[in-house]
Structures are given as C-alpha cells and as structure tokens.
Amino acid sequence: MSNYLVAMEAAWLVRDVEETDDAIGVAVSEAGKRLNETNKQYVDVEPGVTGCPACGEPFDAAFLAANTALVGLLLEIEVFNADGENHAERIAKSEVGGALRDVPLEVIEIIETESDDEDE
C-alpha cells in the first residue's frame, strides 16, 4: 500500500462581489469553513491558477460577470495506504466531495509519496 498526494480542482460560485480578489477570498474562506465543519482540516485550499491562452503566463482562475464569480480552487489531500492511484482518487473524491456537496471536483494530479511503512 502506498501514500498519495491528490490534487483536485473545484469550481466555486460566489455571488454579490465586485472584484475578483474579493471573490477569491470569499471562495477560499467558504470552502475552508465547510471543510473544517466536517473535520477535514487536513485538506489544503488555495486559489487556482490557469494559463493565459495567448502567452501561457499563469493568472488567478476567477471569472466575474454581473457581480457573480466562478472561482477555481486547488484542493490537496494526502491519502494514506491506498492500493493504487485509482483507489487514492476515489478516497480523495469521497472525503472532499462529502464535505463540499454540489461542488464540481476534478482530479488534476496524483503523486505517489514516500510511505511511512517500516517493512519496505
């Protein structure tokens, strides 16, 4: 069994905001609050980034129209003792998805990390 770091992208809707920086702050705060309420403090929440289609430079993943924003969030969770990448993905989606109901999630990267097992 191995340990994995699973990174997911979430789409968070924020209403009644006038600036993208405010929308990002609200999205990170609300996601963190919902995760903390369900004892998922071990999930890291950060603003997502996306690449510019023209130059490739990264910028904040937030789109604002009519005082409503769609904010991309990066969620990372360490999954221990998974049977493989697919198992780690299912565990991560179950853990995070249970706390963030009705929030679209997509796994973007899975990295195998060092195991704490002394038998290896």
Side-chain angles (χ1 to χ4, degrees):
M1 297 199 136
S2 300
N3 300 335
Y4 296 90
L5 179 66
V6 181
M8 293 177 281
E9 185 176 50
W12 200 276
L13 192 63
V14 180
R15 298 180 190 281
D16 300 322
V17 291
E18 294 181 7
E19 296 183 18
T20 56
D21 287 341
D22 293 339
I24 291 168
V26 169
V28 169
S29 177
E30 287 179 355
K33 180 180 176 184
R34 283 177 59 182
L35 287 162
N36 287 339
E37 288 173 349
T38 56
N39 295 321
K40 306 277 190 284
Q41 296 89 345
Y42 48 85
V43 178
D44 292 330
V45 181
E46 298 178 15
V49 293
T50 189
C52 172
C55 66
E57 286 293 314
F59 62 92
D60 293 331
F63 177 75
L64 181 67
N67 291 338
T68 303
L70 179 62
V71 179
L73 297 177
L74 176 64
L75 308 171
E76 291 183 340
I77 181 172
E78 183 84 24
V79 176
F80 300 99
N81 299 322
D83 291 330
E85 287 188 7
N86 289 335
H87 188 220
E89 178 178 343
R90 287 192 312 271
I91 292 169
K93 280 185 168 182
S94 174
E95 287 288 310
V96 175
L100 304 179
R101 297 221 183 271
D102 301 324
V103 175
L105 296 173
E106 180 180 343
V107 173
I108 54 175
E109 188 173 24
I110 301 173
I111 301 170
E112 187 171 358
T113 58
E114 289 187 27
S115 178
D116 295 334
D117 227 5
E118 293 179 10
D119 297 334
E120 291 184 51

